[in-house]
Amino acid sequence: MRIDPQLRALRSDTAPQRKAQIALEAARDAWAHGPARSVLEQLESYGRKGDLADYPALSGLFAEPGTASALIEALMASLLDEVRAHPLGQVPLRHQYKDGLSVLQIAQRGRAALSLITYEETEVDPTSVCFAGGERHEAVLAGSADICEFELLAEAPGRASIDCRTRRAVAGEYLLCEGEKQTRQIRQVHGRFVVLRLSRTEEMPPETRQYSLADGRLLHRASGCRAESQREMATALLGRMGRSDVAPLLARLTREGSDHIRWQTLRECLALDTVEGFGALSAIARNPADPLATPAGALMAQLVEAHPQLSQIEVSQCPV
């Protein structure tokens, strides 16, 4: 294996690497306390509450031409000087790259984040669309792209009516997506496409729903809440492990959380322990105020028809 002489030197003496990181972090902090100070202060408040219009320094990035570009140019100038001086240093900002999409998270405060996103030249033909909620304000800094703007017109069980409009977005534009009924996809990038994105999630994120563009069929749904996603994964893992000893806990958890996570928990409980699961199912079906009462009653009827002995569980085990 060939090891570059600079890397070999760092292995024997890590002080230059520490020096590089201190210099890069100082450059970032100088930008944050200088050109970006008012923007980041208002990002913190916006991350808690209010409309974007309540924060002039932040909203100005999208309302005043050249403001967003000037903010990013100041950051890049500060960081690039130090990267040239310390080429093996690590830029102290969260970043990722995958399949022609690069994301540099400039700052995050509470539920709000400011990110620089670059799309490389590409062309895709989307077959599905995902509605996830939240707010996205984007200032196009460079390049152009053909974008598909989707609006969720109506939803029915397992299906949706979706409107789609394709147009070209160019440098200087302001793009907006608000709420769980709007979203956007990049269809074709001409050369490159760079945007500054301000995003904010809801306090209680809605479910994410993915629909087929061909016929509007529901393909996938998932909780928009990170804690519920973690709970769903943990519950599924316990089910795959066959941990029937946790069935009583899962039965209690069918009364907590969103309708989605409650239903997923109920399914795992039924699979692990028929008695516990059917008792929880019966309790839900018998409560007319429960939004899951109707699907729970339908599932009960199906299960009893297929397995008549379950009717005895309902009588003897189901809590009233």
Side-chain angles (χ1 to χ4, degrees), residues 126-312:
T127 59
S128 65
V129 61
C130 189
F131 294 91
E135 297 177 33
R136 284 188 295 165
H137 305 265
E138 295 179 339
V140 183
L141 303 183
S144 62
D146 295 333
I147 62 174
C148 297
E149 297 177 327
F150 299 98
E151 183 178 0
L152 193 58
L153 301 178
E155 288 184 279
R159 195 166 296 274
S161 175
I162 301 168
D163 181 55
C164 174
R165 183 170 73 101
T166 301
R167 69 178 185 88
R168 181 163 297 184
V170 299
E173 275 200 62
Y174 165 46
L175 306 176
L176 170 65
C177 275
E178 281 188 299
E180 57 184 298
K181 295 186 180 297
Q182 295 180 356
T183 192
R184 180 171 55 250
Q185 290 183 356
I186 301 294
R187 183 165 188 174
Q188 183 174 7
V189 175
H190 306 283
R192 61 171 181 157
F193 190 61
V194 184
V195 301
L196 177 66
R197 173 184 293 174
L198 171 65
S199 59
R200 183 174 68 175
T201 59
E202 289 100 330
E203 285 190 76
M204 295 294 292
E207 281 187 346
T208 296
R209 292 97 66 218
Q210 182 181 10
Y211 292 101
S212 166
L213 289 175
D215 54 13
R217 285 182 302 110
L218 178 64
L219 302 177
H220 179 71
R221 63 194 304 171
S223 173
C225 174
R226 180 176 298 179
E228 285 203 347
S229 293
Q230 293 171 341
R231 172 178 152 184
E232 185 173 355
M233 288 188 288
T235 302
L237 177 61
L238 290 170
R240 302 299 83 77
M241 294 172 65
R243 290 287 302 275
S244 58
D245 58 308
V246 302
L249 171 61
L250 296 185
R252 291 194 297 274
L253 288 176
T254 60
R255 301 191 292 270
E256 301 176 10
S258 68
D259 293 347
H260 171 77
I261 191 62
R262 291 176 60 211
W263 193 256
Q264 293 300 107
T265 303
L266 180 62
R267 291 177 58 188
E268 295 295 345
C269 187
L270 278 165
L272 286 172
D273 187 310
T274 304
V275 172
E276 287 285 356
F278 200 80
L281 178 65
S282 300
I284 293 172
R286 291 183 175 187
N287 181 5
D290 195 319
L292 293 179
T294 299
L299 179 57
M300 276 186 63
Q302 293 174 10
L303 292 175
V304 170
E305 182 179 1
H307 308 282
Q309 64 271 30
L310 289 178
S311 60
Q312 298 303 313

